[in-house]
Amino acid sequence: LTAQQDRSTERSGGVPLLRFGGALNGDEQGVDVIVVSMQLAASDLRDLFACHANDEFEEGMISDFARAIWRAIEDRGSIAVREIQTIIADQNANRDQAIESLYAMASMEDQTTRVARRAAIERSLLSPDTGIRDMAITGIGQMESRESVPALRSASMKETNLHLRKRIAWLLNSLGG
């Protein structure tokens, strides 16, 4: 088996290709495999957050930032979800962007990233920021995620905000947990 990087990116939407050929498949032509690196996703997503750093988000309105988050997740899948979670979990993260990111992840219908999006939202239940925790609760409710019952129970035990504790209890009840 041999692998060599193909610097031409026109067939892969700008993503470098690795070309495999030889003993593995006996194909003289080889097989092109698109390689999406975590570093590429991280860099692009950090640029996305930087470009929208001064955006103002209105409740009930779908922002350009949310649409960009959807596109990133549709394009890069769970890799993008994990990087978004890393960005919004940073102590220096823009609070409004973190909340908007959680909204965007919760409102997607994509089944291929559902588990990763749910896990990212669940991790945000432990954020030091009340607004982020509130949106995480809303997001789990929006996803109607019964799989989140254990995370909600754990968050309820740690939650110091009475209003959020009541919201978690209501959500647990509605999810059958």
Side-chain angles (χ1 to χ4, degrees):
L1 176 64
T2 61
Q4 53 183 283
Q5 188 164 7
D6 180 353
R7 296 283 180 207
S8 166
T9 59
E10 66 186 51
R11 290 174 292 155
S12 63
V15 178
L17 294 176
L18 282 185
R19 181 153 184 79
F20 288 92
L24 179 66
N25 60 10
D27 179 3
E28 295 299 318
Q29 302 276 323
V31 177
D32 293 333
V33 179
I34 296 177
V35 177
V36 180
S37 74
M38 297 277 294
Q39 290 176 337
L40 178 62
S43 172
D44 289 351
L45 286 165
R46 289 190 188 281
D47 289 347
L48 170 67
F49 276 75
C51 283
H52 291 273
N54 296 318
D55 287 8
E56 293 184 21
F57 306 110
E58 284 185 57
E59 191 172 329
M61 300 294 293
I62 299 171
S63 67
D64 290 340
F65 179 70
R67 286 185 185 95
I69 293 290
W70 291 337
R71 280 191 303 276
I73 293 172
E74 288 168 357
D75 291 347
R76 303 232 171 86
S78 297
I79 292 171
V81 173
R82 284 190 295 275
E83 185 56 33
I84 291 165
Q85 174 57 37
T86 299
I87 292 168
I88 66 176
D90 187 298
Q91 290 181 336
N92 298 316
N94 178 314
R95 176 184 191 264
D96 293 334
Q97 284 183 322
I99 292 169
E100 191 74 0
S101 296
L102 292 170
Y103 161 77
M105 287 192 286
S107 62
M108 290 183 75
E109 297 292 326
D110 179 40
Q111 292 303 309
T112 62
T113 60
R114 181 178 169 82
V115 171
R117 290 182 292 112
R118 177 180 50 83
I121 294 168
E122 287 175 359
R123 282 191 290 280
S124 294
L125 288 169
L126 303 175
S127 171
D129 185 279
T130 305
I132 292 172
R133 293 194 313 273
D134 188 39
M135 181 50 74
I137 296 164
T138 300
I140 290 169
Q142 188 170 354
M143 292 179 79
E144 299 177 353
S145 178
R146 286 186 177 87
E147 302 87 358
S148 296
V149 166
L152 287 166
R153 284 188 183 137
S154 178
S156 178
M157 302 294 281
K158 298 172 185 168
E159 184 55 62
T160 58
N161 181 292
L162 180 60
H163 171 72
L164 294 185
R165 210 171 28 236
K166 287 180 180 179
R167 290 199 62 224
I168 293 171
W170 182 87
L171 182 55
L172 280 166
N173 187 49
S174 72
L175 293 174

